[in-house]
Amino acid sequence: MAVEVSVAGEHHIEVNNGGCMNQIVSIMSRPQSFSFVEDNPKPNITPVNLPLVGSPLTLIVANTLVPVDKHVTAPVCYNLRVVETRVGALVLAKHLGVADRPACKNVDPLTFKIVMDEFYAEQDTAGRDDVDVWIERLEAMLEASHAAFGSLSEGYTREQMAAALGISCSGLSTKIHEAQFPVRAERFQLLKRAQHVFSEALRVVRFRQICERENGDDTGGKNSNNSSVGAALGDLMNQSQDSCRDQFECSCKELDEVCAIARRAGSLGSRLTGAGWGGCSVHLVHQQNVDKFVDALNRNYYDKYHLNLTPQQRKDATFVVGPGTGAGIYTFEY
């Protein structure tokens, strides 16, 4: 209930939620664990523990200090990406032959995840590892999205999207709720957005796979002498940033610069966090290198662009984080 209420709240500032990942994490997270998030068929998390490698790893958040006003930029940024992914899901459902099934027909919003789940609804996965099933399906969806959208890799016009769905342009506008969530674009990049969504999900699953493999049956994590573990996790984060920049196009020059500085300063993996177009980045760093890492960001970014920060503002811009418990109701007895 709390997840649904928090999602609906964003609609009052004309932001068309792409999903409910942030809300699920904020409310359902478990202490000391990352969260593998699913929102279909219902909100769910699977706790994932970061492996304890020889040199402990930690996460650092660095704020670019680039403000993002979703209400102002939504028609060409956030809301536009939601429309591109939602129309992409509708077109992909038709391509895969599942558009008229009850799980997809008249579903609003239809997502890539729902389409994928319905396409594999009859698949027998008994006795198979969940992660292996995820990887198999996501790799297939990457191929399917190329087949569905590749002929218009330069992007779709409104007319082409409407034609692909067999509806009028006014019907398309109604379907994407444009009266409530207006968007502006000459071309809608359905292929790029689908490729990002499925490849990003695949990176998340592979991150989980590495963590679970290294942790074995020990849910609290175990020490690993394999120095490549941190590098493998970091590489997935770097790939994610590249895809956010090139496929989903939700990065910005400041985020790109902070990530580049961070990697030169020893970050194993650096990517934007949140919706993008500004705001914060997150970095996987060896705990012993935290001070050196923060100093490099100060010298090469904050000293360069934000000399007027007070000492407290500078301290608040870069900080170590860790997974914690989601929001809850606490009762105190006096």
Side-chain angles (χ1 to χ4, degrees), residues 33-331:
S33 298
F34 293 132
S35 298
F36 181 85
V37 178
E38 300 172 77
D39 61 3
N40 182 66
K42 63 180 181 179
N44 182 61
I45 66 166
T46 301
V48 177
N49 295 286
L50 191 65
L52 300 177
V53 297
S55 176
L57 301 173
T58 192
L59 292 171
I60 298 179
V61 168
N63 192 343
T64 64
L65 302 178
V66 175
V68 184
D69 189 335
K70 282 187 180 180
H71 177 71
V72 173
T73 63
V76 294
C77 293
Y78 194 92
N79 287 359
L80 178 57
R81 294 299 177 275
V82 173
V83 165
E84 288 171 320
T85 55
R86 294 289 161 77
V87 174
L90 290 164
V91 174
L92 184 61
K94 289 195 69 172
H95 174 78
L96 294 175
V98 298
D100 291 327
R101 295 186 187 178
C104 294
K105 188 174 184 180
N106 299 322
V107 173
D108 186 16
L110 186 67
T111 66
F112 284 125
K113 174 64 162 57
I114 295 173
V115 173
M116 183 180 76
D117 286 349
E118 185 56 28
F119 183 71
Y120 286 103
E122 303 301 321
Q123 184 184 33
D124 182 7
T125 60
R128 296 187 59 190
D129 181 75
D130 286 348
V131 169
D132 290 339
V133 172
W134 269 99
I135 291 173
E136 177 187 281
R137 292 180 176 184
L138 288 168
E139 288 178 340
M141 288 298 104
L142 280 168
E143 293 184 11
S145 63
H146 263 298
F149 310 120
S151 63
L152 291 172
S153 58
E154 74 282 3
Y156 284 63
T157 64
R158 286 177 180 267
E159 291 76 15
Q160 287 169 325
M161 289 194 300
L165 296 175
I167 58 178
S168 65
C169 285
S170 60
L172 174 67
S173 183
T174 299
K175 185 171 283 290
I176 64 176
H177 305 287
E178 195 167 13
Q180 184 179 4
F181 306 114
V183 294
R184 298 194 304 272
E186 292 186 5
R187 294 272 178 175
F188 295 76
Q189 303 296 332
L190 305 192
L191 175 61
K192 280 187 173 183
R193 310 318 178 216
Q195 288 289 288
H196 172 75
V197 170
F198 287 123
S199 67
E200 185 75 342
L202 185 56
R203 283 184 287 274
V204 171
V205 173
R206 292 196 185 281
F207 195 103
R208 171 184 169 182
Q209 184 183 49
I210 293 170
C211 291
E212 292 181 342
R213 183 183 64 219
E214 292 301 314
N215 288 330
D217 294 329
D218 179 4
T219 57
K222 67 178 182 180
N223 282 305
S224 171
N225 293 319
N226 187 354
S227 61
S228 66
V229 173
L233 295 175
D235 186 53
L236 290 169
M237 293 176 65
N238 291 332
Q239 291 176 31
S240 174
Q241 174 61 22
D242 292 346
S243 184
C244 285
R245 182 192 64 223
D246 301 332
Q247 299 280 52
F248 213 61
E249 297 176 291
C250 63
S251 189
C252 65
K253 63 183 181 65
E254 292 86 355
L255 280 165
D256 295 339
E257 184 168 358
V258 165
C259 288
I261 293 168
R263 291 166 189 165
R264 291 195 298 269
S267 170
L268 299 173
S270 297
R271 70 179 300 276
L272 63 82
T273 184
W277 295 288
C280 290
S281 55
V282 62
H283 313 272
L284 185 66
V285 178
H286 286 293
Q287 206 168 74
Q288 65 194 32
N289 295 334
V290 168
D291 290 342
K292 175 185 174 183
F293 175 84
V294 172
D295 180 65
L297 282 180
N298 282 331
R299 286 185 289 103
N300 296 297
Y301 184 76
Y302 297 109
D303 284 353
K304 186 176 178 181
Y305 300 110
H306 299 284
L307 272 174
N308 295 326
L309 292 180
T310 67
Q312 186 60 51
Q313 287 172 327
R314 181 171 295 219
K315 182 179 179 181
D316 291 343
T318 307
F319 49 92
V320 175
V321 297
T325 305
I329 298 174
Y330 292 86
T331 302

